[in-house]
Amino acid sequence: MRCCHICKLPGRVMGIRVLRFSLVVILVLLLVAGALTTLLPTVKEDKMLMLRREIKSQGKSTLDSFTLIMQTYNRTDLLLKLLNHYQAVPNLHKVIVVWNNIGEKTPDELWNSLGPHPIPVIFKQQTANRMRNRLQVFPELETNAVLMVDDDTLISTPDLVFAFSVWQQFPDQIVGFVPRKHVPTSSGIYNYGSFEMQAPGSGNGDQYSMVLIGASFFNSKYLELFQRQPAAVHALIDDTQNCDDIAMNFIIAKHIGKTSGIFVKPVNMDNLEKETNSGYSGMWHRAEHALQRSYCINKLVNIYDSMPLKYSNIMISQFGFPYANYKRKM
Amino acid sequence: MRCCHICKLPGRVMGIRVLRFSLVVILVLLLVAGALTTLLPTVKEDKMLMLRREIKSQGKSTLDSFTLIMQTYNRTDLLLKLLNHYQAVPNLHKVIVVWNNIGEKTPDELWNSLGPHPIPVIFKQQTANRMRNRLQVFPELETNAVLMVDDDTLISTPDLVFAFSVWQQFPDQIVGFVPRKHVPTSSGIYNYGSFEMQAPGSGNGDQYSMVLIGASFFNSKYLELFQRQPAAVHALIDDTQNCDDIAMNFIIAKHIGKTSGIFVKPVNMDNLEKETNSGYSGMWHRAEHALQRSYCINKLVNIYDSMPLKYSNIMISQFGFPYANYKRKM
């Protein structure tokens, strides 16, 4: 039989049709694959950050070491005394001193003249004396963990070594030595307090809902998280020159959906503010300080339109330190 | 043009071809989907078990309550005293008494005559007096959590309430009140001990690597896990009438790849063995008891061809109970 011209056409037409069909198939396959990847677990931010930050520096893996960030104002004598203590703490990678003494030279010369030092200490001159200067994303920071300490606080080395090991087990929470709480009142207005206030609920004991950052370990990615917060939060901290720590607890609790911090009971932690020659005694002595903190809690609840803080009654101590601290009192 | 017979053929042939092609496409799509599901996170056993076990019973959700399993031998006076205490503990769902008094009637009559009781108590007559009887998969057990207590141990209610809340935060670990450890020796042979032994390593303080099950909360799925262990493990426990708790720590540490337990420091926990009229004073008074436990550790390392136990120095206490237990000693 003579094949008509039209018989060849189907060949070519089928060719085009098959091609088109194949293209449709490939597109569908890709769509299905794309849809199924939404079922994959979300790679946690901190895991990704840990991979990115895995830079071996000065012989210490930056996963196993931490950076001390210490903000200082008008207490250089205390600062230098504390630096002599902290510079020798195991697993310390670097110190970043946030120099809030505007217009005054940083003590680099003095520091260097008293070298060599176990680790690098960087004095960062600031442009304005702001409480939240210490929450910047410092380019010099290489570790996953930050140790943040107020410039009048002396925490013993065993306490720090232990608390860091606890942070490594709970890297998404603030692991620190100073617990505080918020309490709701019948008017719906929140209050800020310490142990003298009564926790809500009828159970035994107390609760805390915040761990203050001025004596704590936390994940360095939270500095970035802080910077990304609404301008109103930064403004609140600037207006009060207070509450950066309360804000951090709000932010972290909101971010992780559980209690923002874990309290580690310090064995040996002191406040040295009475020992300064400067006569300067710290922000918390201001008359309005405590009231400001309650004010901040309610402002933050407004800004975030929620109360994300969660209570905890877990207190962690180091087993066997001090000796036999687990023995029962008979 | 006259279409040849053969022109119709492509129509049908194309029809078949397209059909065949579509089938191939569908198969490929299914294969791709199947391959992608291997990337999905494995649903953890305990989550599945929790879903399966979510039976509301007696008004208590079995996710939020626990079952007390208490094995008893020759100390019925202590048992009944303890049952009066434990039956009133909040969040208790049911008690299972493992009756190792072979040939002796269970005290059901006496128990019922002293009702009503807050929760059901089931006396399970055993066929032989075996230490591992308490690690059976009891059909009466409906909760995710087991509270396992020795029949001479009185743990205060606040301790239990707190420890249960801790277990709910760490449901894959044994949360309990009695820490122990293994220590390696230079010969490679392991030893069993408590705080008097020195933990390996040069850090401060002590470590523990086991939490004894006789005063602890743990996930009820671990009973099934125990039953699935090699016969040699069961035989070891039967031979020594000891070490079921050491075995459980091995099994759990191996299963979860981290420390098997978390130690919660008890505020008020007593051993009542001196108060029994039976004169029976418990297995741990046998001369060979401690040596047996070291023996068991080395046998288990042989059986599992590894040492899965991991050290921890985390000690958990309840914040603010007793009052102001977090205040620093000045």
Side-chain angles (χ1 to χ4, degrees), chain A residues 92-112:
Chain A
L92 177 65
H93 183 250
K94 183 184 290 181
V95 178
I96 295 172
V97 175
V98 184
W99 188 255
N100 268 1
N101 301 303
I102 313 307
E104 191 186 315
K105 265 177 68 180
T106 61
D108 287 85
E109 265 190 63
L110 176 62
W111 183 258
N112 294 333

Side-chain angles (χ1 to χ4, degrees), chain A residues 49-78:
Chain A
L49 208 72
M50 283 172 88
L51 289 162
R52 272 189 262 133
R53 283 186 185 270
E54 198 164 353
I55 306 157
K56 275 202 180 295
S57 183
Q58 276 129 30
K60 280 195 218 76
S61 163
T62 51
L63 283 168
D64 298 326
S65 59
F66 54 87
T67 305
L68 169 61
I69 297 176
M70 182 172 283
Q71 181 155 277
T72 187
Y73 174 73
N74 206 358
R75 292 198 285 204
T76 307
D77 54 348
L78 285 189

Side-chain angles (χ1 to χ4, degrees), chain A residues 235-277:
Chain A
L236 175 66
I237 298 167
D238 288 343
D239 291 343
T240 54
Q241 285 292 67
N242 200 345
C243 309
D244 59 331
D245 46 2
I246 299 177
M248 280 293 266
N249 276 271
F250 263 72
I251 294 162
I252 292 167
K254 194 169 187 292
H255 183 72
I256 62 178
K258 54 187 186 186
T259 191
S260 50
I262 298 181
F263 169 50
V264 173
K265 182 178 178 180
V267 174
N268 193 356
M269 181 170 82
D270 285 319
N271 186 297
L272 305 188
E273 60 175 358
K274 288 181 170 52
E275 298 180 29
T276 184
N277 295 325

